[in-house]
Amino acid sequence: MSELRPLRKMALTGDEAVAYAAKQADVDVVAAYPITPQTIIVERLSRYVADGELNAAFIQAESEHSALSICIGAALAGARTFTSTASQGLALMHEVLHIASSMRTPIVMAIANRALNSPLNIHCDHSDVMNARDTGWIHLFANNVQQAYDLTLMAFKIAEDPDLLLPVSVNMDGFILTHSVEPLEILSDEEVRQYIPHIPYPYRIDFDRPLAYGVMALPDTYMEFRKQLFEVTRKAPQVFRKASNIFSAISGRSYDLLTPYFVEDADVIVIALGSTIETLRYAARRFRERRLKIGVVGLTMYRPFPEKEIVDVLENARCIAVLDRAYSYGGVGGPLYTDILSTLYKNQIGVMIADFVYGLGGRDLKLTDIEQLFNKLFKSLEVGRFDQDIYWWGVKDD
Amino acid sequence: MAAQEKYFKTIKDVPLEDYFTPGHRLCAGCGPSLAMKLAMKAVRMPTAIVNATGCVEVSTSMFPYVSWKLPWIHVAFENTAAVASGITEAFRILEKKGRGSMHDVIAIAGDGGTFDIGLQALSGALERRHKMLYICYDNEAYMNTGIQRSGATPMGAATTTSPVGKVISGKQERKKDLIGIVVAHKVPYAATASISHPLDFINKVRKALEIEGPTFIHVLTPCTLGWRYPPSQTIKISRLAVETRYFPIFELEYGKLKINIKVSKPRPLEEFLEAQGRFKHLFEPANKDVLENLKMQVEENWNRLLKLEEIGLYA
């Protein structure tokens, strides 16, 4: 049936697309603080409210810490709640990120991924969200503007699922997606209303049934609370699939936890997050024309980590390259690399693998950089090993 | 019109119902626990309570027990005003959209959570004009973590981080003028109160709830452990704080100041100080200048308030 729907095309930047999705989601409370490169999202939302196109409380907080705290209060009161941030703002929220998930508040947040200070830099990398990876949030990654729009709508469906009730972040690469105009197809307001109707938050502040939220738990009970978070987080993949199936029926666009590309017969597989996936796919097509068997895997859901699905796509690869747009300083590698290594080890897959740290602070990963990287992978495969475990790709030598 | 003339004329007018119930784990003689009990007497409808981390929070919400018969929310230490902002705005918009109704929201935080770490969130909330009441219960130090100095600790007081040492005796800095900071946000209502004057306090809470916009009450709540006095003396010490003019009781409606308890013949400040172990060292000859300084501050503050009341404005 989906091909019979009238197509609604727009040309929007990533920021605009996310704001448009939040408007269509009829959010009740928006609390945010301006920070580049997400500022346009809150500018657009405040404009929608000022023009009467969105009936919401728009609250510009005095900091990101307060913005997310406002969202927690609003979510507990039963409001559909949205915020967005980037970089330092996400870092300033850090304490509250943990509380938002532990208190099971279904907040949706767009993160315009940007590097962390110091040196100060406003451009894209994933250091901000990687710093928040263990906070109990569901972290989704968009590869393009269409996905940023779609995943924002899906994020409400996922966050508010009564089986889950967890905050969800939608990550999009700062400037690369937030400020690039791309054509996208949108749903009608009515389709969005049907997809994500307002359902009452089951534990909302209710004066007939007063509850205490955020109580004190001592060593005799604290672990049981945390185990609940552990258990519910593991339900996220199935909730994602449920949300995705309904979304697909409406939109004709389907999403899974991973975006495998040319992986079936691939000797070499490259794994990454965000907009880089698109360039990697383009490069992979060119290599395939030369009969070089390379595949590309993107993660739409980064947290919880789709272990099983990763194993399914990687188990037959002979050589794996993980592209990390962040680093875990003092650790064994970048955050994505560490996750992949652990997953492979748990499943006794002893394949050759290396980490390629790239694109920090917005450094371009050009097609030529990727082709050099691919060549490096095939050369390493030939000799049967990498000469390093961690490469900082595209760094000037002197 | 004084607040107490309006809602609860005598203690008999105060409802018997307690929304803050016994069984909590606050100390015998705890000032803040009395403030909570009294404040909850003034609620006028189902009300959401937002509580900062601190003595009251940890001692009234020990899982699986809770001392609050109202929805009670604790998120963190420094963001109470922000969480309350979110709740009150959600109530308002949900009522507007036909999916809920407006209710009162009271934010409660100690002096550490207000004077220090929560000041930014408080300032933001006051500036944004949310309909909410913020009550700061002030026991003049971080009592929950073991009596560390805060921006509310008075000059000279000994705490575990402003100890009486061989070369430095107690806190060297003045107490922050919190109500001055609050009033600088041009709020419609701000007041001080003392648990020794329950009717005044309860009426102020009700009055604040009746007013549209952000309102603020600063209530002095002595701490038996931190101030070092016997638990039976809490009310007496609270009263001495008022009667020595150490803690003047006043309110500001749209910036217009009224002293609610006129202390025409103040007791000597020493009576308030002597009753507490935290000021014991001030009576040693070496610390005479600190004592004199403290007395001067109290006198100066009182005279300033009198003048402001006379002019009709708070500077």
Side-chain angles (χ1 to χ4, degrees):
Chain A
M1 288 299 286
S2 60
E3 63 268 34
L4 298 177
R5 292 173 60 246
L7 279 183
R8 290 177 192 81
K9 287 259 184 190
M10 285 179 101
L12 298 173
T13 65
D15 275 350
E16 289 169 339
V18 165
Y20 196 80
K23 175 179 92 95
Q24 288 188 305
D26 187 35
V27 291
D28 300 310
V29 174
V30 178
Y33 187 83
I35 183 169
T36 304
Q38 70 75 43
T39 317
I40 296 159
I41 300 176
V42 288
E43 284 177 354
R44 287 294 179 275
L45 285 167
S46 60
R47 167 63 67 183
Y48 292 141
V49 173
D51 288 342
E53 289 179 47
L54 172 63
N55 192 2
F58 177 85
I59 305 167
Q60 188 174 317
E62 82 296 335
S63 76
E64 287 90 352
H65 191 284
S66 282
L68 190 56
S69 302
I70 290 167
C71 288
I72 290 180
L76 293 178
R80 178 171 282 171
T81 305
F82 177 83
T83 186
S84 60
T85 192
S87 182
Q88 307 303 125
L90 188 63
L92 186 57
M93 279 181 184
H94 193 83
E95 175 197 28
V96 198
L97 291 172
H98 287 271
I99 302 171
S101 58
S102 317
M103 289 180 83
R104 307 288 294 277
T105 51
I107 298 164
V108 172
M109 169 161 66
I111 305 175
N113 299 114
R114 164 184 153 181
L116 289 174
N117 198 5
S118 163
L120 187 65
N121 177 295
I122 59 164
H123 293 279
C124 175
D125 71 36
H126 298 156
S127 308
D128 52 5
V129 66
M130 290 305 161
N131 192 39
R133 71 181 170 155
D134 297 337
T135 54
W137 283 58
I138 310 302
H139 293 300
L140 308 178
F141 274 84
N143 300 345
N144 53 44
V145 171
Q146 179 75 64
Q147 289 186 9
Y149 169 82
D150 290 348
L151 290 175
T152 302
L153 293 177
M154 280 174 57
F156 287 103
K157 190 80 175 167
I158 296 164
E160 295 171 6
D161 190 304
D163 287 340
L164 198 67
L165 299 176
L166 282 175
V168 178
S169 86
V170 178
N171 290 269
M172 58 175 167
D173 285 346
F175 291 106
I176 301 167
L177 295 182
T178 60
H179 285 60
S180 299
V181 177
E182 288 182 12
L184 73 156
E185 199 195 316
I186 58 153
L187 303 191
S188 70
D189 291 354
E190 184 51 34
E191 284 170 328
V192 173
R193 250 195 304 280
Q194 281 174 15
Y195 179 56
I196 41 174
H198 284 289
I199 49 169
Y201 175 59
Y203 307 108
R204 70 166 169 183
I205 296 169
D206 179 348
F207 297 98
D208 297 325
R209 190 189 55 150
L211 296 175
Y213 303 82
V215 298
M216 177 91 177
L218 292 182
D220 59 337
T221 54
Y222 179 82
M223 265 188 96
E224 283 70 24
F225 280 104
R226 303 309 289 188
K227 176 115 189 287
Q228 286 184 7
L229 184 61
F230 162 76
E231 277 166 358
V232 73
T233 307
R234 288 155 73 101
K235 288 188 193 165
Q238 73 200 52
V239 171
F240 177 95
R241 288 203 172 104
K242 198 165 75 180
S244 164
N245 288 342
I246 306 170
F247 185 79
S248 166
I250 299 170
S251 68
R253 294 184 295 278
S254 58
Y255 288 86
D256 207 345
L257 307 178
L258 303 182
T259 58
Y261 188 71
F262 287 145
V263 292
E264 288 78 12
D265 63 341
D267 292 324
V268 174
I269 292 183
V270 183
I271 306 167
L273 296 165
S275 61
T276 303
I277 291 297
E278 305 251 303
T279 333
L280 288 171
R281 285 180 170 205
Y282 180 80
R285 281 199 295 277
R286 289 172 51 145
F287 270 59
R288 284 278 171 174
E289 283 164 17
R290 291 161 47 199
R291 299 180 199 283
L292 290 162
K293 290 182 177 176
I294 189 154
V296 176
V297 175
L299 283 76
T300 302
M301 179 183 278
Y302 174 67
R303 278 291 182 274
F305 196 70
E307 261 183 69
K308 190 189 156 295
E309 292 73 13
I310 289 281
V311 171
D312 287 347
V313 295
L314 293 188
E315 61 186 350
N316 297 320
R318 294 167 60 206
C319 171
I320 295 167
V322 182
L323 266 63
D324 262 304
R325 203 160 194 164
Y327 199 69
S328 169
Y329 298 95
V332 298
L336 184 57
Y337 172 72
T338 311
D339 286 322
I340 300 283
L341 273 190
S342 310
T343 303
L344 294 175
Y345 182 81
K346 272 173 82 173
N347 291 276
Q348 289 155 9
I349 301 171
V351 61
M352 62 183 282
I353 181 167
D355 192 12
F356 292 81
V357 181
Y358 78 100
L360 301 190
R363 176 152 306 174
D364 269 344
L365 188 69
K366 297 188 193 78
L367 192 58
T368 49
D369 299 321
I370 292 176
E371 287 177 346
Q372 278 170 23
L373 194 152
F374 284 4
N375 286 331
K376 170 87 189 166
L377 301 181
F378 281 103
K379 265 185 204 143
S380 304
L381 180 62
E382 240 175 73
V383 296
R385 60 175 193 86
F386 285 109
D387 51 5
Q388 276 172 247
D389 57 345
I390 294 151
Y391 299 88
W392 281 59
W393 206 250
V395 174
K396 296 176 206 110
D397 287 332
D398 42 52
Chain B
M1 183 166 55
Q4 53 267 45
E5 286 166 29
K6 210 169 174 183
Y7 305 103
F8 309 99
K9 286 192 176 62
T10 73
I11 206 80
K12 285 182 183 167
D13 300 325
V14 174
L16 285 174
E17 169 122 40
D18 276 314
Y19 293 111
F20 180 75
T21 62
H24 57 71
R25 300 177 186 211
L26 288 156
C27 304
C30 168
S33 73
L34 276 167
M36 294 307 112
K37 182 186 169 77
L38 295 173
M40 291 305 109
K41 291 289 187 189
V43 299
R44 55 182 189 150
M45 61 158 95
T47 299
I49 307 298
V50 187
N51 203 169
T53 311
C55 282
V56 168
E57 175 264 329
V58 298
S59 306
T60 64
S61 75
M62 197 77 79
F63 183 80
Y65 304 107
V66 64
S67 303
W68 303 84
K69 287 165 84 176
L70 294 165
W72 175 92
I73 301 102
H74 160 250
V75 175
F77 195 7
E78 70 280 56
N79 59 358
T80 310
V83 176
S85 307
I87 293 172
T88 191
E89 288 305 321
F91 284 164
R92 192 179 59 75
I93 192 75
L94 289 175
E95 181 173 86
K96 205 171 147 195
K97 292 170 95 166
R99 290 175 22 234
S101 52
M102 189 63 190
H103 289 276
D104 284 343
V105 177
I106 303 178
I108 295 168
D111 51 287
T114 307
F115 282 68
D116 293 351
I117 200 166
L119 189 63
Q120 178 180 314
L122 174 64
S123 174
L126 296 177
E127 185 267 337
R128 294 189 302 264
R129 314 300 279 184
H130 304 294
K131 165 79 182 89
M132 59 188 261
L133 164 62
Y134 189 109
I135 299 176
C136 170
Y137 67 93
D138 179 8
N139 52 22
E140 301 197 319
Y142 291 86
M143 300 313 187
N144 187 41
T145 45
I147 320 164
Q148 292 80 34
R149 59 123 34 223
S150 78
T153 306
M155 181 182 278
T159 70
T160 55
T161 53
S162 60
V164 179
K166 287 183 181 133
V167 291
I168 303 170
S169 290
K171 190 184 169 189
Q172 301 294 292
E173 303 80 19
R174 292 184 66 152
K175 182 181 178 113
K176 212 184 262 188
D177 178 13
L178 179 67
I179 205 109
I181 295 168
V182 168
V183 170
H185 292 77
K186 313 294 176 199
V187 295
Y189 187 73
T192 64
S194 166
I195 52 170
S196 56
H197 296 70
L199 268 182
D200 174 78
F201 177 42
I202 298 171
N203 274 300
K204 281 173 173 169
V205 172
R206 172 59 71 85
K207 186 173 184 174
L209 291 171
E210 298 279 348
I211 291 169
E212 193 56 40
T215 53
F216 183 89
I217 294 175
H218 176 190
V219 57
L220 187 72
T221 54
C223 170
T224 166
L225 293 176
W227 294 17
R228 288 191 264 143
Y229 64 82
S232 61
Q233 301 301 297
T234 300
I235 297 299
K236 189 182 166 193
I237 284 172
S238 303
R239 189 172 298 282
L240 279 171
V242 177
E243 292 178 350
T244 57
R245 294 177 177 168
Y246 171 81
F247 194 81
I249 302 301
F250 57 95
E251 64 186 347
L252 297 123
E253 282 186 73
Y254 299 97
K256 193 169 161 30
L257 188 140
K258 179 181 169 55
I259 299 174
N260 304 110
I261 298 172
K262 290 270 163 47
V263 185
S264 47
K265 286 179 191 156
R267 290 166 172 272
L269 184 65
E270 285 86 343
E271 282 188 39
F272 172 67
L273 303 176
E274 275 166 355
Q276 305 169 52
R278 63 174 175 157
F279 293 119
K280 196 176 154 198
H281 55 283
L282 294 189
F283 297 96
E284 288 162 13
N287 293 322
K288 197 170 181 301
D289 56 330
V290 182
L291 179 64
E292 289 309 314
N293 194 334
L294 208 50
K295 285 164 84 170
M296 185 204 73
Q297 288 174 27
V298 166
E299 195 184 331
E300 240 178 45
N301 189 41
W302 182 264
N303 291 333
R304 185 177 63 106
L305 293 174
L306 280 180
K307 281 210 181 84
L308 291 169
E309 187 180 38
E310 199 182 302
I311 307 165
L313 275 176
Y314 193 88

